[in-house]
């Protein structure tokens, strides 16, 4: 665990989110430092798209927008779990380029993957925590050419519908902790920021189509298979064509952006929440134990620690599933602004 400033511990949004989800999850992940060996499909997709978008925006920052899509595709080349996932990631990046290349002209890119550290302030006394320091990495810092205002930009992927401005996806962001923390982070870097450009891509729900098992095939009188049945697997190229068509038919379903404002009272509410959560984390660490939250085990798919918790095992007893890491905040490493 990195302790950069007088022994203070870095308090990232991933860490706060882990504690909110389940104190035991936080304990296993950040105190005992266990991580699942295998990444979930949704996490891998989000990580790959994020990687591609980082390369896309770096090209814009260099003043080479014509190279943006090629750079994005090169950044993810060969990294997906299989050829179908590779096609899906690439088509989302291609769709993003089509959707937003014109819009990107209106911004000056001040920084890509910009790290920050800032004091965690007690919202009652405005004194800095002696234990914690807020930390994170802002996906993008943009300056709008029209009025010179600086924006934090965050890329997200989701499987949730978000093309309707009234969708729950957007309503939830009013209380989103990461947005508040990153506004504080941008201010610590010397920028006056009130708005975050929330940049969201929908994860295509289309799945590859595979051959119907021979024993389940049913044939019509003309010798053809019943609707929905197949004799052969869909090829990755056929799958790619289907994903591309879906994106081209309704790009607004796949790509949305909204400006999310932050007021002083929202920032104060965030600090109050973070301060209290940090105190509870500290208490758990001192006790060497944290309660489980069984309501969270399957809330977003199956929790990565399910095999350990559900069998009452320590991750140490399941070496094929879990490994211990040194740095609990790997996402803060290897940045280049
Ligand atoms: S499996 Fe359930 S109890 Fe265990 S860490 Fe995950 S969410 Fe918490």
């Amino acid at each position: 665990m990195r302790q950069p400033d007088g022994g203070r511990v870095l308090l990232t949004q991933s860490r706060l989110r882990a504690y909110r989800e389940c104190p035991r999850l936080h304990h296993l992940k950040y105190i005992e430092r266990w991580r699942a060996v295998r990444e979930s499909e949704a996490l891998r997709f989000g990580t790959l798209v994020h990687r591609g978008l980082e390369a896309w925006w770096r090209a814009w920052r260099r003043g080479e927008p014509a190279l943006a899509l090629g750079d994005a595709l090169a950044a993810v080349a060969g990294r997906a779990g299989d050829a179908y996932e590779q096609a899906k990631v690439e088509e989302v990046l291609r769709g993003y380029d089509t959707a937003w290349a014109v819009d990107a002209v209106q911004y000056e890119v001040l920084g890509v993957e910009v790290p920050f550290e800032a004091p965690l302030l007690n919202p009652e006394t405005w004194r800095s925590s002696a234990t914690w320091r807020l930390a994170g990495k802002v996906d993008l810092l943009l300056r709008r050419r029209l009025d010179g205002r600086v924006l934090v930009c965050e890329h997200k992927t989701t499987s949730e519908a978000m093309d309707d401005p009234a969708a729950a996806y957007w309503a939830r962001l009013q209380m989103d902790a990461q947005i508040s923390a990153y506004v504080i982070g941008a201010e610590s870097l010397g920028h006056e920021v009130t708005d975050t450009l929330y940049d969201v891509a929908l994860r295509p729900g289309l799945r590859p189509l595979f051959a119907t098992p021979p024993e389940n095939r049913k044939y019509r009188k003309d010798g053809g298979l019943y609707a929905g049945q197949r004799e052969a697997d869909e090829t990755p190229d056929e799958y790619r064509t289907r994903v591309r068509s879906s994106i081209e038919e309704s790009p607004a379903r796949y790509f949305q952006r909204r400006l999310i404002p932050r007021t002083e009272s929202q920032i104060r509410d965030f600090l109050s929440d973070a301060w209290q959560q940090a105190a509870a984390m500290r208490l758990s660490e001192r006790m060497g134990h944290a309660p489980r939250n069984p309501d969270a085990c399957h809330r977003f798919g199956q929790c990565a620690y399910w095999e350990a918790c559900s069998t009452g095992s320590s991750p140490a007893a399941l070496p094929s599933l879990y490994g211990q890491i040194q740095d609990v905040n790997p996402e803060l490493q290897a940045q280049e602004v």
Side-chain angles (χ1 to χ4, degrees):
M1 188 182 309
R2 193 150 70 97
Q3 299 187 340
D5 177 16
R8 289 180 177 85
V9 181
L10 297 184
L11 186 60
T12 63
Q13 288 313 296
S14 304
R15 184 165 189 160
L16 282 166
R17 194 178 304 117
Y19 189 83
R20 284 196 300 273
E21 269 176 47
C22 171
R24 178 68 62 88
L25 186 155
H26 169 264
H27 191 83
L28 292 170
K29 191 170 182 180
Y30 287 94
I31 307 300
E32 297 191 1
R33 296 181 285 108
W34 294 107
R35 295 293 158 94
V37 171
R38 260 209 338 260
E39 213 175 19
S40 75
E41 187 191 325
L43 195 61
R44 193 172 56 227
F45 176 83
T47 303
L48 282 175
V49 170
H50 198 283
R51 187 182 178 91
L53 294 186
E54 179 186 336
W56 194 87
W57 280 100
R58 284 196 192 284
W60 279 87
R61 179 163 163 70
R62 295 195 311 271
E64 297 180 314
L67 301 182
L69 178 58
D71 285 2
L73 296 177
V76 302
R79 291 180 173 270
D82 60 33
Y84 298 104
E85 186 181 58
Q86 188 73 42
K88 182 157 69 172
V89 169
E90 289 176 4
E91 289 312 311
V92 167
L93 293 173
R94 199 181 301 280
Y96 183 94
D97 181 70
T98 304
W100 296 124
V102 172
D103 192 67
V105 175
Q106 66 172 303
Y107 303 109
E108 176 191 355
V109 183
L110 301 178
V112 181
E113 299 291 313
V114 188
F116 71 85
E117 287 181 20
L120 176 65
L121 298 177
N122 181 328
E124 302 298 326
T125 63
W126 296 113
R127 297 177 81 157
S128 302
S129 168
T131 307
W132 301 96
R133 199 163 162 76
L134 281 178
K137 199 155 57 159
V138 175
D139 288 346
L140 271 180
L141 276 173
L142 301 175
R143 178 176 281 123
R144 200 160 49 190
R145 297 186 195 279
L146 179 70
D147 54 11
R149 289 180 65 183
V150 175
L151 308 172
V152 167
C153 177
E154 278 299 299
H155 310 308
K156 298 292 173 197
T157 53
T158 181
S159 56
E160 191 178 337
M162 42 81 191
D163 47 336
D164 180 350
Y169 185 91
W170 300 107
R172 279 200 302 274
L173 298 181
Q174 286 187 42
M175 285 200 287
D176 185 87
Q178 185 178 27
I179 291 176
S180 300
Y182 285 16
V183 166
I184 293 172
E187 286 176 353
S188 76
L189 295 167
H191 301 289
E192 195 180 323
V193 174
T194 54
D195 293 325
T196 294
L197 184 65
Y198 220 70
D199 182 27
V200 189
L202 182 73
R203 177 154 55 99
L206 298 170
R207 300 245 161 220
L209 302 173
F210 295 113
T212 308
E215 64 275 18
N216 296 339
R217 291 180 193 172
K218 290 187 179 161
Y219 292 89
R220 300 187 305 261
K221 283 183 186 158
D222 64 3
L225 277 169
Y226 271 43
Q229 297 205 330
R230 301 178 59 91
E231 276 177 351
D233 292 348
E234 185 178 35
T235 67
D237 279 346
E238 289 167 342
Y239 176 66
R240 177 189 295 279
T241 301
R242 232 168 16 100
V243 172
R244 185 178 297 186
S245 301
S246 175
I247 292 174
E248 287 176 351
E249 271 166 27
S250 49
R253 196 161 73 83
Y254 283 93
F255 304 104
Q256 286 288 326
R257 282 180 180 168
R258 298 255 187 288
L259 271 183
I260 311 295
R262 271 297 173 268
T263 63
E264 277 189 26
S265 77
Q266 286 173 314
I267 297 285
R268 185 188 282 260
D269 286 345
F270 159 72
L271 284 173
S272 178
D273 292 346
W275 188 270
Q276 290 179 44
Q277 282 174 35
M281 287 176 189
R282 197 71 176 149
L283 183 63
S284 283
E285 186 175 359
R286 284 209 195 102
M287 293 171 67
H289 187 73
R292 298 174 302 170
N293 176 13
D295 296 333
C297 301
H298 294 91
R299 192 177 289 157
F300 308 106
Q302 184 168 284
C303 171
Y305 299 98
W306 172 253
E307 282 83 357
C309 288
S310 63
T311 56
S313 311
S314 161
L318 302 166
S320 62
L321 298 178
Y322 304 103
Q324 239 170 346
I325 58 168
Q326 283 303 315
D327 181 0
V328 293
N329 303 306
E331 72 276 19
L332 299 182
Q333 300 300 319
Q335 59 273 98
E336 172 206 334
V337 178

